[in-house]
Amino acid sequence: MATLRQKQQYFVFVHGAQHGAWCWFKTIELLEQAGHLTKAVDLVSAGDSSVNADDVECFDHYNQPLYEVLESLGTNQKVILVCHSMGGTTVARACERYPLRIHVAVYIAGAMLKSGMSQSENHDEVFRETSKDAQFHFGKGEQNPPTSCWPSLEIVTKAYYNLCSSEDIQFAAKRLGGVPIMCDDATIFTANYHSVPRVYIRTSFDKAIAPHFQDRSNYGAFWNHQRTTRNHKN
């Protein structure tokens, strides 16, 4: 890992649920000032995407913008892949599909899938309390399961941004949107996934992903586990 500190790196950022590429702008500014390359993706239906959250077809459809970035890399070019919250499941899929294009995957309070654990199983366990205050849309009719999940103001202020300034809360509240609830259920258990080195950054004051759920992610031979006294988005 020492060589990563000695030259220009390419950082690719993946947002969490209900967010978009916009949430990384402060981090990107600092990295670019230090001479690094950066790219923040809007997953399908997020940020500036023209697709409605209720119309996302499947997990791989949702992840397609990240796949396109990784597929566009030059020969022998690799990225440092950084994710937050539910973006961890997208990064897990990317590690499974493109292990040779990723130097290291960095999870900031990221939702981590263990081998054989499904996306829905992880979500139900980790986000059960937060989801109680969420707003659900039924794009295929109320007789069918919900197709997207939207944040309430209470989630924004008390869980996502509980230690942030009022300016940051207002900035985010104008940009947050729905996250698709996809009909397929991703399960990760390939050797490719485990071949990518990983770093986990634990946010100790997090109200969205409780620290004890984050601690569960600190396992495996490739882990580097860091702690910070931050909330979910600060």
Side-chain angles (χ1 to χ4, degrees), residues 28-90:
I28 285 174
E29 182 178 0
L30 292 172
L31 287 170
E32 291 182 347
Q33 288 174 357
H36 296 293
L37 303 175
T38 67
K39 174 71 175 179
V41 298
D42 278 323
L43 300 177
V44 172
S45 78
D48 292 332
S49 172
S50 61
V51 179
N52 189 287
D54 296 320
D55 297 327
V56 174
E57 299 170 2
C58 62
F59 189 48
D60 282 330
H61 179 209
Y62 179 63
N63 299 333
Q64 190 60 38
L66 177 60
Y67 300 163
E68 292 173 0
V69 171
L70 295 174
E71 289 170 0
S72 72
L73 296 175
T75 304
N76 299 323
Q77 187 179 17
K78 292 186 177 184
V79 303
I80 297 175
L81 194 52
V82 184
C83 65
H84 174 251
S85 192
M86 283 303 294
T89 56
T90 291

Side-chain angles (χ1 to χ4, degrees), residues 131-189:
S131 296
K132 289 180 180 179
D133 296 318
Q135 301 167 355
F136 293 93
H137 285 193
F138 295 81
K140 297 181 180 179
E142 294 188 0
Q143 71 277 13
N144 294 306
T147 50
S148 65
C149 177
W150 298 69
S152 66
L153 182 59
E154 185 172 8
I155 291 174
V156 175
T157 57
K158 294 184 178 181
Y160 291 171
Y161 292 87
N162 56 300
L163 295 181
C164 294
S165 68
S166 58
E167 290 80 7
D168 283 342
I169 293 174
Q170 293 172 10
F171 177 85
K174 295 176 181 178
R175 293 165 174 80
L176 290 164
V179 62
I181 300 175
M182 291 148 282
C183 58
D184 61 332
D185 199 8
T187 302
I188 311 293
F189 39 23

Side-chain angles (χ1 to χ4, degrees), residues 90-111:
T90 291
V91 166
R93 178 72 98 195
C95 290
E96 182 182 48
R97 291 177 56 136
Y98 307 99
L100 299 181
R101 297 174 184 255
I102 303 167
H103 266 308
V104 60
V106 180
Y107 293 78
I108 303 174

